[in-house]
């Protein structure tokens, strides 16, 4: 898409005292608690920086003072997630970068969030993709990154565009935090009632290994039945809205489904230990096990029960980890009275449905933002019109 604004090379937007470069080459194995936080390639994704960062020794960081962050710079993953870019928030000032991350410290006439969105727009992505190197692991070369063209409107317009697109991302982030809180509420309720046995009317404390009155220890198969998923080659998938579930989670969509939602799915081969609640009708792939029959367990209860069992630790296979459903079925689990499970299901499923609805809202917000992004960056959509359209969304 052609831009109405003049184009400048990315290197021309950068502070000449802080050229585009990469960070620490050999961070070492030491991770001191009071060390310097280190941003690696995998820590940059979807316009955000992971906050659970490893650390490096201060003397190692001092050797790479060129990439010590002040806050407000752009950082780009050069390896792993090549092209993923984010603005450094103020609270990460003093952190450093790994070799797999590039520093882009802009001059005052270039708004960092605007340049970030420019690099995330189709033209920016295409320019970066054309410059990735390597047949197996894609890598962005710094010399090529410096030559990426950026459409540059006046600074006031840059800020207005960044504000519009940022409003969508802010709403998405608020929803993400709400989703995390809701999911944590359901998890803690399960642990309180069914792990620590602190449920309504539980009475006096129990000794170690003792079950509450009316409870029993039963094989998992008495609670639910797991079944292997179904083959579905990528070439056989049709356009549709039914999620296709792989061992690691959602893996596209299909025009048909094999299981009615809500359902529970976990990895059978490859990725083990991930357990997902699927609200829609869905197609579980043959790398998964899905709950074919909810016997004493119900969907929200089954989700947390399987997560609590840490199924990844029960896998076999040297080359490709595999979960045998017969072994899992034999695991002994505490079985609560049906009325307590039903009470939990009512509370937890209400919470999880609210989280699911927020996820759907986020998908719509992201879709709207992604449609608007290239049109704003190119000047095809006026900023005033976009600001007016944003008002009902915000």
């Amino acid at each position: 898409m052609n831009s109405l604004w003049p184009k400048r090379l990315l290197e021309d937007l950068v502070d000449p005292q802080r050229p585009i470069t990469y960070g620490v080459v050999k961070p070492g194995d030491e991770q001191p608690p009071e060390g310097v936080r280190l941003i690696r390639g995998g820590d940059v994704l979807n316009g955000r920086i992971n906050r659970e960062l490893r650390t490096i020794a201060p003397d190692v960081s001092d050797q790479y003072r060129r990439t010590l962050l002040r806050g407000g710079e752009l950082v780009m993953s050069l390896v792993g997630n090549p092209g993923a870019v984010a603005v450094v928030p103020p609270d990460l000032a003093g952190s450093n970068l790994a070799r797999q991350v590039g520093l882009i410290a802009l001059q005052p006439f270039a708004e960092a969030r605007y340049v970030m969105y420019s690099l995330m727009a189709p033209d920016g992505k295409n320019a970066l993709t054309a410059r990735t190197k390597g047949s197996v692991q894609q890598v962005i070369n710094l010399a090529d990154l410096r030559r990426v063209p950026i459409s540059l409107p006046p600074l006031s317009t840059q800020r207005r565009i960044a504000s519009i697109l940022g409003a969508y991302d802010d709403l998405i982030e608020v929803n993400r935090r709400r989703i995390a809180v809701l999911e944590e509420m359901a998890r803690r309720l399960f642990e309180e009632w069914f792990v620590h046995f602190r449920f309504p009317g539980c009475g006096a404390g129990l000794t170690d290994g003792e079950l509450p009155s009316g409870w029993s220890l039963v094989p998992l198969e008495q609670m639910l039945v797991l079944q292997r998923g179904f083959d579905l080659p990528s070439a056989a998938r049709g356009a549709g809205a039914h999620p296709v579930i792989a061992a690691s989670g959602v893996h596209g969509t299909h025009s048909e489904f094999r299981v009615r939602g809500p359902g529970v799915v976990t990895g059978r081969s490859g990725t083990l230990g991930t357990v997902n609640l699927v609200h829609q009708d869905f197609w579980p792939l043959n790398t998964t096990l899905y709950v074919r029959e909810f016997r004493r367990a119900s969907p929200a209860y089954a989700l947390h029960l399987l997560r609590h069992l840490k199924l990844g630790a029960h896998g076999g296979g040297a080359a490709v980890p595999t979960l045998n459903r017969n072994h899992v079925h034999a695991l002994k689990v505490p079985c609560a009275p049906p009325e307590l499970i039903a009470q939990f299901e009512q509370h937890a499923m209400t919470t999880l449905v609210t989280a699911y609805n927020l996820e759907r809202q986020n998908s719509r917000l992201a879709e709207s933002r992604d449609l608007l992004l290239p049109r704003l960056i190119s000047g095809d959509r006026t900023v005033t019109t976009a600001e007016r359209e944003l008002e009902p969304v915000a």
Side-chain angles (χ1 to χ4, degrees):
M1 186 177 291
N2 293 325
S3 174
L4 301 177
W5 295 305
K7 289 183 179 291
R8 302 278 299 274
L9 297 181
L10 186 58
E11 66 179 348
D12 294 335
L13 310 184
V14 170
D15 181 349
Q17 302 301 315
R18 304 180 71 197
I20 295 175
T21 188
Y22 56 82
V24 180
V25 176
K26 295 182 179 180
D29 297 328
E30 184 183 1
Q31 297 194 46
E34 302 301 322
V36 177
R37 291 172 293 184
L38 184 73
I39 299 173
R40 294 173 289 180
D43 293 324
V44 184
L45 189 64
N46 297 326
R48 299 188 308 278
I49 300 172
N50 172 36
R51 298 309 180 89
E52 296 180 5
L53 302 172
R54 68 156 291 181
T55 62
I56 58 174
D59 61 325
V60 174
S61 178
D62 284 345
Q63 299 173 42
Y64 295 86
R65 298 189 65 83
R66 68 189 186 192
T67 48
L68 275 176
L69 300 174
R70 303 172 188 174
E73 305 97 332
L74 290 180
V75 291
M76 176 177 286
S77 175
L78 306 174
V79 184
N81 301 318
V85 61
V87 178
V88 178
D91 62 297
L92 286 182
S95 303
N96 213 325
L97 303 179
R99 168 67 180 85
Q100 308 94 340
V101 182
L103 171 70
I104 307 171
L106 299 168
Q107 298 188 64
F109 61 79
E111 164 65 37
R113 288 192 304 164
Y114 170 81
V115 177
M116 177 189 76
Y117 286 121
S118 296
L119 293 168
M120 294 169 66
D123 284 354
K125 285 183 176 180
N126 291 338
L128 289 167
T129 301
R131 290 166 167 80
T132 54
K133 310 292 184 182
S135 57
V136 178
Q137 186 175 31
Q138 298 296 301
V139 178
I140 293 178
N141 184 285
L142 290 183
D144 293 328
L145 177 59
R146 296 182 184 109
R147 306 294 295 174
V148 172
I150 302 292
S151 299
L152 201 70
L155 182 59
S156 60
T157 303
Q158 294 178 48
R159 288 172 174 164
R160 290 171 70 189
I161 290 174
S163 179
I164 293 167
L165 298 171
Y168 283 93
D169 282 337
D170 290 345
L171 288 169
I172 290 171
E173 183 59 27
V174 168
N175 282 347
R176 281 199 186 102
R177 292 174 183 174
R178 291 176 64 191
I179 290 166
V181 169
L182 290 166
E183 291 178 343
E184 180 66 7
M185 287 170 57
R187 185 191 68 81
R188 288 193 177 186
L189 185 64
F190 177 86
E191 291 194 351
E192 280 293 297
W193 288 15
F194 303 105
V195 178
H196 304 301
F197 306 136
R198 294 192 287 259
F199 52 87
C202 58
L206 304 171
T207 60
D208 289 344
E210 183 183 4
L211 290 175
S213 175
W215 293 50
S216 58
L217 200 62
V218 301
L220 180 65
E221 192 172 18
Q222 291 189 22
M223 306 295 293
L224 55 86
V225 176
L226 293 167
Q227 180 66 46
R228 178 175 172 162
F230 306 92
D231 292 338
L232 182 63
S234 297
R237 299 182 191 179
H242 301 294
V244 175
I245 311 299
S248 57
V250 178
H251 194 267
T253 58
H254 187 41
S255 55
E256 302 175 27
F257 66 89
R258 296 297 299 265
V259 182
R260 290 280 185 187
V264 175
V265 187
T266 189
R268 180 193 66 83
S269 176
T271 301
L272 306 184
T274 300
V275 187
N276 291 302
L277 175 66
V278 187
H279 293 267
Q280 304 160 262
D281 301 337
F282 63 99
W283 187 298
L285 293 176
N286 61 358
T287 56
T288 70
L289 295 173
Y290 72 95
V291 178
R292 187 191 72 203
E293 181 182 354
F294 295 98
R295 291 181 169 173
R296 300 187 192 182
S298 44
Y301 179 88
L303 170 75
H304 291 91
L305 176 61
L306 292 175
R307 285 179 174 174
H308 180 70
L309 290 175
K310 302 189 184 307
L311 296 176
H314 297 279
V320 180
T322 304
L323 194 64
N324 186 315
R325 72 185 185 102
N326 294 321
H327 294 165
V328 177
H329 281 158
L331 296 174
K332 294 294 184 71
V333 297
C335 177
E339 58 272 15
L340 186 62
I341 294 177
Q343 189 178 351
F344 170 81
E345 189 71 18
Q346 181 179 3
H347 288 299
M349 187 57 83
T350 299
T351 300
L352 294 174
V353 166
T354 301
Y356 169 66
N357 288 333
L358 288 172
E359 288 175 350
R360 294 178 64 192
Q361 185 183 70
N362 271 1
S363 295
R364 293 191 294 269
L365 287 168
E367 183 179 351
S368 296
R369 178 204 60 202
D370 292 344
L371 288 171
L372 184 60
L373 174 55
R375 301 186 68 185
L376 277 175
I377 296 299
S378 68
D380 182 55
R381 172 65 62 90
T382 68
V383 176
T384 301
T385 300
E387 287 171 333
R388 191 162 53 244
E389 292 173 346
L390 178 64
E391 290 176 3
V393 177

